[in-house]
């Protein structure tokens, strides 16, 4: 695991619990979530139609797309309710000195 | 016990019902009888991404034939022309006979047609299925000035797509606002402005007196004597439930097939789901018929559970959307029973929502905004509606205050 692929997202207090923030890095965009048991990250764009999930609703471990209510499991990326059928890519997250990092391929 | 379960209608409600039955019942025979020679597919993209070539036919299918095969769900392309509820049999045009123990009717709805007094019936196009979408897509590539008759969801979505294909589009609507059947005027006006900004012409409050054809072009005479000249006409003037097959039977019909909250019809072992069903909604304490993606899916699933013996009440709060240009419009609940309206936001870039309240409780809401901007609040509103609590109107009306504060209470 090379160190340079861990990208700093922001401080841990920048996300409310059961909520998310959008994070852009180079030409990629992500969602970073704070759930009750920690931080998670997925691709930012819904796999169904090109809309950002930053305006979606986080409920328990799920993110619901704001456009058509496709639902993904935040931890696994699994598409669990149509119209979404393609899984969402997930990323490793770590917290170091109150800073959130995600590992980008 | 092994049963023969037949699902009449190969659309969204039918396929979701079939898979739900199989989840709860591994033994019974499940057969879907579909009039289109296509596996069940998604209709919302037909008027949008399919016309715009962003989605292809193969992107539209809910499930592949492999999924159906693995779950032992049969799909047969056949047209049924007679039903014998007493003896539990369906008769096909080709003389095939199908016996069932349980029947789900998910025949959907069909387009209302314009009443024309001349031979132009085949010149007016409608969009409901893939075949019609393909035809429209092919023909409009050679047309420039296109008229849409009917300013409802389907007409406006087509108008948006054709505008994006650089066509000159005119929309003629008989009512005094767009989408008047279910969308509040405040929201309809915002959508109308967006169409006009993109160059579409919107004509309200006008009836069509006559359509004529000359040298391959059309003239549409309106009731104020104005004449619209156009080279292609598409109509989207509403739909009716597909119930012709049942008209002379004992099945209780009233704006569709009357069902209770368990998707049961007036005949034992016969269920109905999706667009064709006029179902009793226990939360709103009235019957309603809905034509939407979410309803077709969830009502199908609910019917599937009940057919498989898992008694399940259907009480989903209605939800639907429409995408036009870069706008996403969403509606939840019902917006025609209220004593108070509360506005949230006033800028379409951040989203505008109108809440419809009765006795200080939310009954429904409708919002529109640049894509993504109203979805979360509308979703929370569905949950608030379902909770049926008296709501804090200050939070509803102030876009700076998050609605999820209300749901956590």
């Amino acid at each position: 695991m090379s160190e340079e692929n861990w990208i700093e997202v922001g401080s841990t207090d920048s996300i409310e619990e059961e909520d998310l923030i959008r994070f852009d890095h180079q030409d990629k965009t992500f969602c970073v979530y704070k759930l009750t048991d920690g931080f998670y990250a997925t691709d930012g764009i819904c796999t169904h139609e090109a809309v950002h999930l930053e305006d979606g609703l986080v409920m328990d471990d799920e993110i619901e797309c704001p456009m058509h209510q496709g639902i993904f499991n935040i931890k696994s990326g699994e598409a669990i309710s149509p119209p979404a059928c393609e899984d969402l890519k997930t990323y490793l997250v770590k917290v170091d000195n109150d800073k959130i990092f995600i590992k980008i391929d | 016990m092994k049963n023969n379960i037949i699902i009449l209608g190969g659309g969204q409600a039918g396929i979701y019902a079939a898979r739900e039955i199989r989840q709860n019942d591994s033994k019974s025979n499940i057969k879907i009888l579909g009039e289109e020679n296509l596996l069940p597919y998604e209709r919302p993209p037909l008027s949008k991404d399919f016309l715009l070539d962003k989605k292809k036919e193969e992107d539209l299918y809910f499930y592949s034939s492999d999924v159906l095969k693995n779950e032992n769900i049969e799909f047969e392309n056949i047209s049924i022309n007679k039903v014998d509820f007493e003896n539990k049999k369906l008769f096909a045009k080709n003389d095939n006979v199908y016996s069932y123990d349980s029947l789900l009717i998910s025949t959907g709805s069909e387009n209302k047609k314009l009443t024309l007094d001349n031979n132009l019936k085949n010149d007016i196009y409608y969009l409901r299925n893939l075949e019609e979408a393909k035809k429209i897509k092919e023909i409009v590539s050679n047309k420039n000035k296109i008229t849409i008759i009917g300013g409802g969801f389907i007409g406006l979505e087509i108008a948006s797509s054709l505008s994006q294909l650089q066509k000159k589009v005119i929309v003629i609507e008989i009512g005094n606002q767009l989408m008047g059947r279910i969308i509040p005027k405040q929201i309809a006006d915002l959508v109308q402005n967006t169409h006009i900004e993109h160059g579409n012409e919107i004509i309200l409050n006008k009836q069509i007196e006559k359509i004529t054809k000359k040298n391959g072009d059309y003239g549409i005479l309106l009731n104020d004597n104005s004449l619209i000249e156009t080279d292609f006409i598409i109509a989207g003037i509403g739909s009716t439930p597909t119930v012709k097959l049942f008209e002379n039977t004992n099945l209780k019909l009233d704006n569709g097939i009357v069902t209770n909250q368990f998707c049961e019809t007036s005949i034992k072992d016969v269920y109905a789901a999706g667009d064709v069903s006029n179902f009793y909604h226990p939360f709103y304490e009235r019957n309603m018929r809905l034509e939407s993606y979410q309803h077709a899916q969830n009502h199908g699933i609910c019917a599937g559970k009940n057919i498989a013996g898992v008694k399940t009440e259907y009480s989903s709060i209605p939800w639907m959307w429409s995408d036009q240009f870069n706008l996403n419009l969403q509606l939840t609940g019902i917006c025609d029973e209220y004593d108070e309206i509360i506005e949230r936001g006033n800028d379409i870039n951040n989203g505008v929502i109108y809440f419809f309240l009765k006795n200080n409780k939310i009954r429904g809401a409708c919002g529109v905004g640049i894509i993504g901007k109203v979805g979360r609040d509308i979703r929370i509103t569905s949950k608030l509606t379902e909770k049926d609590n008296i709501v804090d109107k200050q939070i509803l009306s102030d876009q700076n205050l998050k609605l999820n504060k209300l749901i956590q209470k």
Side-chain angles (χ1 to χ4, degrees):
Chain A
M1 194 182 285
S2 69
E3 279 302 312
E4 64 266 25
N5 285 342
W6 286 100
I7 309 293
E8 185 180 330
V9 173
S11 67
T12 50
D13 59 9
S14 62
I15 317 178
E16 290 178 37
E17 192 161 304
E18 283 237 325
D19 207 351
L20 81 164
I21 56 165
R22 171 181 176 150
F23 173 64
D24 295 331
H25 178 70
Q26 293 171 349
D27 59 347
K28 286 187 158 185
T29 183
F30 306 89
C31 285
V32 183
Y33 310 82
K34 184 177 186 179
L35 303 182
T36 50
D37 62 352
F39 295 89
Y40 296 87
T42 69
D43 265 342
I45 305 291
C46 180
T47 58
H48 174 240
E49 278 180 26
V51 61
H52 209 289
L53 294 168
E54 64 176 319
D55 293 312
L57 179 64
V58 178
M59 284 176 300
D60 302 322
D61 291 349
E62 295 166 3
I63 172 73
E64 185 173 283
C65 174
M67 197 168 171
H68 301 139
Q69 296 191 357
I71 299 176
F72 302 91
N73 182 293
I74 291 166
K75 295 178 179 177
S76 67
E78 187 190 354
I80 52 179
S81 179
C85 54
E86 194 182 319
D87 293 349
L88 198 59
K89 190 169 165 47
T90 58
Y91 298 87
L92 290 175
V93 181
K94 70 175 182 182
V95 173
D96 194 0
N97 280 329
D98 296 331
K99 299 255 189 270
I100 308 165
F101 296 82
I102 65 173
K103 187 171 186 290
I104 298 173
D105 316 322
Chain B
M1 197 178 83
K2 189 170 169 175
N3 280 318
N4 276 329
I5 299 168
I6 289 192
I7 296 171
L8 183 58
Q12 186 174 11
I15 185 67
Y16 276 94
R19 295 198 72 202
E20 189 63 30
I21 294 167
R22 183 55 81 220
Q23 287 215 349
N24 294 283
D25 171 355
S26 60
K27 295 198 179 81
S28 291
N29 298 318
I30 304 173
K31 183 179 264 191
I32 301 173
L33 304 179
E35 283 222 325
E36 284 179 82
N37 192 17
L38 297 167
L39 291 178
Y41 59 90
E42 296 199 51
R43 294 181 195 271
L46 294 181
S47 54
K48 302 178 280 278
D49 280 359
F50 184 77
L51 286 184
L52 293 171
D53 229 4
K54 292 182 184 168
K55 279 198 174 168
K56 308 277 185 209
E57 178 175 337
E58 57 268 28
D59 301 324
L60 303 180
Y61 295 101
F62 285 108
Y63 301 105
S64 65
S65 52
D66 288 347
V67 170
L68 298 191
K69 202 173 164 190
N70 288 341
E71 298 185 7
N72 197 16
I73 295 167
E74 273 186 84
F75 179 89
E76 190 174 333
N77 170 223
I78 193 91
S79 191
I80 297 295
N81 64 353
K82 196 183 154 202
V83 182
D84 177 353
F85 287 120
E86 203 174 324
N87 295 301
K88 295 188 162 186
K89 287 187 195 313
L90 306 177
F91 299 89
K93 283 181 182 160
N94 66 357
D95 294 335
N96 280 5
V97 181
Y98 301 85
S99 297
Y100 64 82
D101 297 297
S102 298
L103 174 68
L104 172 65
I105 301 169
S106 53
T107 45
S109 52
E110 55 202 51
N111 292 319
K112 283 185 187 163
K113 298 283 171 76
L114 285 173
T115 316
L116 297 167
D117 58 0
N118 53 21
N119 296 324
L120 289 175
K121 281 183 182 152
N122 294 331
D123 290 57
I124 314 291
Y125 285 75
Y126 299 83
L127 199 169
R128 175 164 299 270
N129 60 37
L130 183 59
E131 194 187 333
E132 290 165 332
K134 279 181 181 171
K135 265 191 213 159
I136 288 175
K137 191 173 167 180
E138 187 192 329
I139 297 171
V140 295
S141 63
N142 300 313
K143 304 290 181 188
N144 294 311
K145 192 176 176 188
I146 297 161
T147 300
I148 316 270
I149 300 175
F153 288 117
I154 188 76
L156 292 172
E157 288 180 357
I158 297 169
S160 154
S161 298
L162 296 182
S163 167
Q164 291 173 68
L165 294 170
Q166 316 306 323
K167 307 294 177 187
K168 167 68 189 160
V169 181
I170 301 161
V171 178
I172 304 170
E173 163 59 37
I174 194 170
N176 63 359
Q177 67 158 93
L178 297 174
M179 303 174 287
R181 194 164 62 87
I182 49 172
I183 297 298
K185 188 167 189 312
Q186 300 93 323
I187 297 286
D189 287 349
L190 293 170
V191 173
Q192 180 175 334
N193 291 343
T194 299
H195 276 265
I196 292 168
E197 280 164 18
H198 283 86
N200 286 354
E201 188 180 343
I202 307 283
I203 300 172
L204 298 176
N205 278 317
K206 295 288 181 294
Q207 287 191 45
I208 291 161
E209 292 288 325
K210 198 170 151 189
I211 301 178
T212 52
K213 185 178 182 182
K214 197 176 171 186
N215 300 331
D217 290 333
Y218 303 92
I220 303 174
L221 181 68
L222 302 180
N223 59 338
D224 63 351
N225 276 329
S226 57
L227 182 73
I228 310 288
E229 290 177 328
T230 190
D231 48 23
F232 190 57
I233 303 173
I234 303 169
I237 54 168
S239 65
T240 52
T242 304
V243 293
K244 199 163 187 299
L245 192 56
F246 318 111
E247 273 169 359
N248 295 312
T249 70
N250 291 331
L251 189 65
K252 191 175 175 195
L253 303 176
D254 176 14
N255 181 29
I257 300 170
V258 178
T259 57
N260 64 12
Q261 62 268 49
F262 304 108
C263 307
E264 295 164 334
T265 70
S266 59
I267 296 177
K268 191 172 180 297
D269 298 326
V270 178
Y271 300 76
D275 287 19
V276 77
S277 157
N278 184 4
F279 66 98
Y280 179 75
H281 197 299
F283 178 81
Y284 291 103
E285 297 179 328
R286 71 182 213 195
N287 273 61
M288 56 177 77
R289 195 173 74 77
L290 300 173
E291 297 163 5
S292 80
Y293 184 98
Q294 175 237 28
H295 173 64
Q297 174 189 303
N298 293 346
H299 209 209
I301 290 171
C302 184
K305 286 186 198 297
N306 284 301
I307 290 167
V310 184
K311 193 91 171 170
T312 306
E313 186 176 85
Y314 185 74
S315 58
S316 268
I317 300 297
W319 172 74
M320 49 116 10
W321 83 81
S322 174
D323 299 325
Q324 297 167 38
F325 296 105
N326 58 345
L327 296 182
N328 173 241
L329 180 156
Q330 297 195 13
L331 177 97
T332 183
I334 54 173
C335 302
D336 61 357
E337 274 181 12
Y338 59 89
D339 54 29
E340 188 176 3
I341 300 177
I342 293 177
E343 182 185 14
R344 178 178 177 86
N346 52 24
D347 177 359
I348 210 161
N349 292 303
N350 297 321
V352 179
I353 295 178
Y354 289 86
F355 298 96
F356 295 82
L357 282 72
K358 193 173 180 187
N359 301 327
N360 301 308
K361 295 172 177 179
I362 300 175
R363 304 292 283 177
C366 184
V368 68
I370 299 300
I371 279 168
K373 290 302 170 194
V374 297
R376 174 161 44 194
D377 282 350
I378 289 287
R379 182 68 178 118
I380 294 169
T381 305
S382 301
K383 290 176 175 291
L384 288 171
T385 306
E386 205 165 20
K387 281 189 163 210
D388 206 25
N389 291 337
I390 289 173
V391 285
D392 182 337
K393 294 174 193 170
Q394 174 65 25
I395 296 180
L396 288 186
S397 63
D398 186 347
Q399 213 164 26
N400 296 314
L401 301 174
K402 283 188 172 181
L403 279 193
N404 53 6
K405 301 290 175 220
L406 289 171
I407 214 155
Q408 286 157 2
K409 279 181 181 174

